[in-house]
Amino acid sequence: MVIALIGATGLVGEMMIRVLEEQQIPFTNFIPCASERSVGKEITVGGKPYKVQSVEDAIKAKPQLAIFSAGAATARKYAAAFAENGTYVIDNSSAFRGEEDVPLVVPEINADRITQSTRIIANPNCSTIQMVLPISSIHQKYGIRRLVISTYQSVTGTGVNAVRQLFNERAGKSGEMAYPHPIDLNCFPHGGDFDEHGDAAEEMKLVNETRKILGAPGIKITATVVRIPVMGGHSEAVNIETEKAFRMNEVRSLLESTQGVVVQDNPKNSIYPMPKYAEGRDEVFVGRIRRDQSLENGINLWIVADNLRKGAATNAVQIARYLIDQQWL
Ligand code: A2P
């Protein structure tokens, strides 16, 4: 199997390589791709050096699998050319997530949406993945009526330039700004462009992607996304209103038995999920599990995950693993 990785020099791309290595995804050749300015650079995968190539050259090589992590514009420009050659494309950008015939997949929830003839598979947004994984079983059992989400997102979700901005500010150095404001010792409620209602693009991703993954277009969802000067992962305060009544101990057991979820919930002993400790982990951590006393059927959760791993690379590699397990790759 030949694998191409588009965006191999980015933060998520580098993490993709690490997770592909860890998960021992087999390949006979690996084609790292990036923008023209990186072509020719060397990248080590599985102990072997590979030269960064142009996306055009990767298309000509007709790989069996192309993983995209280079933004929506690059995916829109090149994904179809890979797909036309029969390549399975797993795209980490927002380019195709809303398209009806493109499965939007969190493997633990809906890998069965992929068929052998699917060619483009969308990896959801990082904030969406870590939220839907724990709440999916709550939805199945009690029916979610409404979600109110507040995020506290790591700078790593914005990419290499944002991490550089944070560390430049810390070191008192000037440099290129990835954000419209300083991020160190600051936070801002701004994730992407604002629409006519005043919602940010990252907020609408949470709304639309959650509905699609859960197959529940009627769930009412509202979100506020906030960028904070943190590295290890995204955190989310999630308020859930369900249709059916529940017992809190049942909700807790449901979360404890959800594949890929780890419950860390003993607040009196200061135990709850934190991005510093989620870093480098593939699981989604859930804590502060409690009844919302202001609602008849309300639950509050605090959800944390490494946005570069389960929020991006791990989820994409799990999709690749699913294709291999089906013997389609
Ligand atoms: P490059 O390093 O050459 O700019 P991040 O999100 O961490 O900033 O990473 C973005 C990734 O997408 C990088 O690997 C970047 O390559 C790649 N990329 C950006 N624009 C293009 C493009 N037009 N074609 C291919 N890869 C691109």
Side-chain angles (χ1 to χ4, degrees):
M1 173 168 61
V2 178
I3 301 179
L5 175 61
I6 294 85
T9 53
L11 279 186
V12 174
E14 283 174 11
M15 189 59 82
M16 292 277 184
I17 292 171
R18 274 170 62 188
V19 178
L20 286 165
E21 289 171 337
E22 286 167 14
Q23 302 286 322
Q24 301 189 325
I25 299 293
F27 57 83
T28 48
N29 190 17
F30 190 86
I31 309 174
C33 303
S35 73
E36 289 301 329
R37 65 184 161 266
S38 304
V39 169
K41 271 190 193 164
E42 218 168 70
I43 285 190
T44 305
V45 186
K48 278 198 201 160
Y50 294 89
K51 284 240 157 48
V52 173
Q53 298 188 23
S54 69
V55 189
E56 283 85 359
D57 284 346
I59 293 167
K60 285 187 204 135
K62 299 192 176 171
Q64 279 70 44
L65 174 65
I67 303 178
F68 273 69
S69 177
T74 305
R76 279 198 198 96
K77 190 166 169 196
Y78 296 111
F82 281 99
E84 277 156 25
N85 285 340
T87 302
Y88 283 99
V89 173
I90 301 171
D91 177 34
N92 195 47
S93 82
S94 60
F96 306 107
R97 290 177 189 151
E99 290 188 14
E100 210 170 304
D101 56 345
V102 173
L104 182 63
V105 173
V106 177
E108 294 90 339
I109 301 174
N110 65 345
D112 59 358
R113 297 296 307 276
I114 308 169
T115 67
Q116 191 166 7
S117 59
T118 303
R119 279 299 167 271
I120 300 181
I121 301 153
N123 209 43
N125 181 253
C126 39
S127 310
T128 310
I129 294 175
Q130 72 177 64
M131 187 191 62
V132 288
L133 184 56
I135 70 168
S136 164
S137 50
I138 295 176
H139 177 61
Q140 275 162 27
K141 190 150 184 202
Y142 306 108
I144 294 177
R145 180 183 294 165
R146 182 166 187 249
L147 291 167
V148 182
I149 307 153
S150 303
T151 75
Y152 304 74
Q153 296 186 201
S154 158
V155 291
T156 58
T158 314
V160 174
N161 295 341
V163 174
R164 200 172 298 132
Q165 179 184 330
L166 173 63
F167 282 93
N168 277 342
E169 287 173 16
R170 265 198 184 185
K173 282 198 252 169
S174 60
E176 207 185 302
M177 296 280 279
Y179 296 119
H181 302 287
I183 182 65
D184 193 27
L185 301 174
N186 196 17
C187 72
F188 31 80
H190 188 166
D193 296 336
F194 292 98
D195 67 15
E196 70 275 23
H197 306 293
D199 287 312
E202 297 278 316
E203 290 160 354
M204 293 316 293
K205 287 178 189 173
L206 272 160
V207 173
N208 297 322
E209 295 178 19
T210 300
R211 288 178 176 156
K212 180 167 173 175
I213 296 163
L214 296 181
I219 298 184
K220 294 183 197 313
I221 307 175
T222 186
T224 301
V225 308
V226 179
R227 191 70 60 181
I228 61 170
V230 151
M231 289 288 292
H234 291 350
S235 306
E236 297 174 331
V238 180
N239 179 259
I240 306 169
E241 183 180 357
T242 60
E243 300 284 352
K244 293 186 195 150
F246 53 82
R247 286 174 191 277
M248 256 345 279
N249 59 355
E250 284 171 4
V251 170
R252 186 178 295 273
S253 311
L254 210 50
L255 290 167
E256 278 166 351
S257 60
T258 301
Q259 191 195 339
V261 169
V262 175
V263 169
Q264 289 180 332
D265 193 31
N266 186 349
K268 286 191 179 138
N269 289 321
S270 308
I271 292 171
Y272 29 70
M274 286 175 273
K276 195 175 180 72
Y277 306 112
E279 186 166 12
R281 299 283 299 267
D282 287 319
E283 305 95 325
V284 173
F285 299 90
V286 183
R288 300 297 318 281
I289 303 166
R290 65 203 191 277
R291 185 176 287 279
D292 171 357
Q293 303 291 344
S294 74
L295 279 179
E296 196 180 331
N297 295 327
I299 305 166
N300 281 313
L301 301 178
W302 174 250
I303 303 172
V304 179
D306 184 331
N307 54 298
L308 296 179
R309 282 196 167 248
K310 184 55 184 166
T314 301
N315 199 71
V317 173
Q318 283 176 326
I319 294 171
R321 171 61 71 193
Y322 178 81
L323 298 174
I324 293 168
D325 289 347
Q326 303 303 307
Q327 301 190 326
W328 298 339
L329 268 183

